Amino acid sequence: MDIQAYIDSGILELYVAGQLNEQENEEVFQLLRKHPELLQEVLEIEAAVVKLTAAVSPKPSAYIFELIKKHLGLGTTETKVVTMEQPTKTNWLSYLSLAAALLLTVGLFWSINKNNDLKNKISDAEVENSYLNIQVENAKKELVATENILKAIRGKDVIAVPLGGQGEFASTYAKVYWNKKENQIYLDAQGLPDAPEGKVYQVWSLTLDPLTPTSLGTIDDFNADDTKIFNIINANESQAFGITLEPEGGSNTPTMEQLYTLGVVSAS
Amino acid sequence: MQLETLVVNFQKKDEKAFEELYNMYSESMHGVIYNIVRDAAIAEEVMQDIFIKAWHKSESYDASKGRFFTWMLNIARNAAIDKVRSKDFKNAKKNLNSDFFVDILETSESLDDKTDAIGIKKYVDILQEKCKKIIEYLYFKGYTQKETSEELNIPLGTVKTRNRNCINELRRLVLD
């Protein structure tokens, strides 16, 4: 084997760096045993790297090794055994019991802590759970309500009456679904803005000849209602529907300047 | 005493051998750790830990798998990297923007430590730029040949020969 070529390949430098695989390491190790000049080379490489890395160090404190020895319980001088034995034993025992007591206390605190933690977590989960239950209930109710509305407005006998925006309220709109048989209307008022403070929307049933308005009532919860669909009793022979904005409590006759939407029931 | 015997005795929990090995390698390990953590006190702490670990795990060292120095070097690098990644270290807001051991020269004054600036200066001034890098990667950082070749953007085979040349240069410097 060409020792010099082997050295020149640079494998020994990588060996010292620890960058060879297990098999290569084993090979180098065997060769080092056979060829002292290879070992010498490795020692020199190692020495150079040790020097360089050490040069980077802001010299470590001299007492570190003492700390290490202390930590490992090394370098303790041997004690005279006979007289020391008894007290040592007692000490040992009392230290041990102290340690045990401490451990127990710490352990106890730890488990109390842990327990409290878990309890908190459970009650958090319970709160979360009941909150979710409420949400599920609400969703169910909403679904039933929506289904009812759908059923109501899809019925065979239901007349749909679009109400168009009037005058300065031209951009507003509404729809009335009227079930004549059941004397009910569903008012879809999504196209109306929120009622200003102190005012309410009032729904009117109208006969046209002569023009006679009949109040169907005010929508007091307009702003709060999300669906903006309102169920109203209507036993009148309505020919048209209108919505006006009135002072809270409603008016006896519609304020025509505040007529938002109006729609005529098409003759069927 | 032969290094080999020293290591064997150390593995038999011989305190004298342990102390000798400590004297041989503690500064080197401290340098490697310091290069990673950049704080002399923390580096001391980690260095202390790795020698304690080495004592406890001495039987796990196997000469056929590599040099004792290399074994220690691995333990030191890993411990230092673990330290840098640890929470308390991050909380201590260490700013590790200087990557190379050569940078220690520039940062040492502000760090107010005992860096032997003259000692390291000797190497930093004379070593070629490409040598500083390859030595940094392979020995200080423990990069593999592949990682080193990627980092330096040189062919894999070149890592081996270039490193050989660089270590030769270093050896000449050490002999001076």
Side-chain angles (χ1 to χ4, degrees), chain A residues 16-36:
Chain A
V16 171
Q19 304 302 346
L20 299 182
N21 64 38
E22 204 168 324
Q23 194 193 340
E24 291 169 318
N25 278 328
E26 179 73 35
E27 278 166 18
V28 174
F29 179 69
Q30 296 306 337
L31 286 170
L32 293 184
R33 295 181 133 185
K34 273 188 247 165
H35 306 281

Side-chain angles (χ1 to χ4, degrees), chain A:
Chain A
M1 149 170 205
D2 187 343
I3 298 294
Q4 195 51 46
Y6 190 75
I7 289 174
D8 287 339
S9 75
I11 193 171
L12 298 178
E13 283 79 1
L14 291 179
Y15 178 64
V16 171
Q19 304 302 346
L20 299 182
N21 64 38
E22 204 168 324
Q23 194 193 340
E24 291 169 318
N25 278 328
E26 179 73 35
E27 278 166 18
V28 174
F29 179 69
Q30 296 306 337
L31 286 170
L32 293 184
R33 295 181 133 185
K34 273 188 247 165
H35 306 281
E37 61 269 50
L38 285 184
L39 180 61
Q40 188 54 37
E41 186 73 14
V42 164
L43 287 174
E44 282 176 27
I45 293 164
E46 199 170 280
V49 175
V50 168
K51 272 250 166 125
L52 176 67
T53 47
V56 170
S57 155
K59 309 305 164 219
S61 315
Y63 59 82
I64 298 276
F65 193 66
E66 285 309 311
L67 291 179
I68 293 172
K69 283 210 302 195
K70 212 173 182 181
H71 186 100
L72 294 174
L74 306 180
T76 41
T77 45
E78 292 195 15
T79 41
K80 296 264 183 186
V81 192
V82 192
T83 46
M84 294 296 284
E85 207 171 48
Q86 200 46 45
T88 313
K89 239 183 187 172
T90 351
N91 264 347
W92 234 88
L93 252 178
S94 59
Y95 277 130
L96 203 67
S97 37
L98 188 67
L102 250 157
L103 209 67
L104 202 68
T105 317
V106 170
L108 200 63
F109 271 110
W110 183 80
S111 32
I112 288 172
N113 236 332
K114 195 82 191 166
N115 196 20
N116 283 340
D117 258 357
L118 289 175
K119 274 185 188 159
N120 283 341
K121 273 188 191 152
I122 288 173
S123 81
D124 282 353
E126 276 170 356
V127 169
E128 176 88 348
N129 204 11
S130 60
Y131 177 64
L132 288 176
N133 275 339
I134 291 168
Q135 282 193 318
V136 169
E137 274 311 305
N138 285 345
K140 273 187 190 160
K141 272 187 208 156
E142 268 173 34
L143 184 65
V144 170
T146 310
E147 275 172 351
N148 283 342
I149 291 166
L150 262 180
K151 218 187 285 169
I153 67 178
R154 276 175 167 175
K156 192 162 73 92
D157 302 314
V158 173
I159 304 160
V161 184
L163 313 186
Q166 302 295 308
E168 58 179 304
F169 310 112
S171 63
T172 67
Y173 63 93
K175 267 179 189 159
V176 167
Y177 299 90
W178 182 18
N179 189 327
K180 267 189 174 171
K181 269 190 186 159
E182 292 180 16
N183 293 330
Q184 292 202 65
I185 64 168
Y186 283 90
L187 169 67
D188 178 357
Q190 204 182 20
L192 293 177
D194 275 1
E197 187 105 37
K199 303 273 184 175
V200 289
Y201 287 115
Q202 190 163 2
V203 185
W204 305 92
S205 162
L206 307 162
T207 50
L208 297 174
D209 199 14
L211 186 63
T212 319
T214 311
S215 174
L216 297 180
T218 55
I219 310 174
D220 296 325
D221 57 348
F222 182 85
N223 292 357
D225 194 288
D226 280 334
T227 62
K228 305 289 187 218
I229 293 180
F230 305 94
N231 186 207
I232 300 165
I233 304 291
N234 176 31
N236 302 293
E237 281 298 325
S238 311
Q239 289 175 312
F241 294 100
I243 300 173
T244 57
L245 192 68
E246 304 290 346
E248 244 172 280
S251 307
N252 291 330
T253 53
T255 310
M256 292 315 283
E257 300 84 345
Q258 294 293 318
L259 179 64
Y260 273 63
T261 59
L262 182 69
V264 179
V265 179
S266 54
S268 51

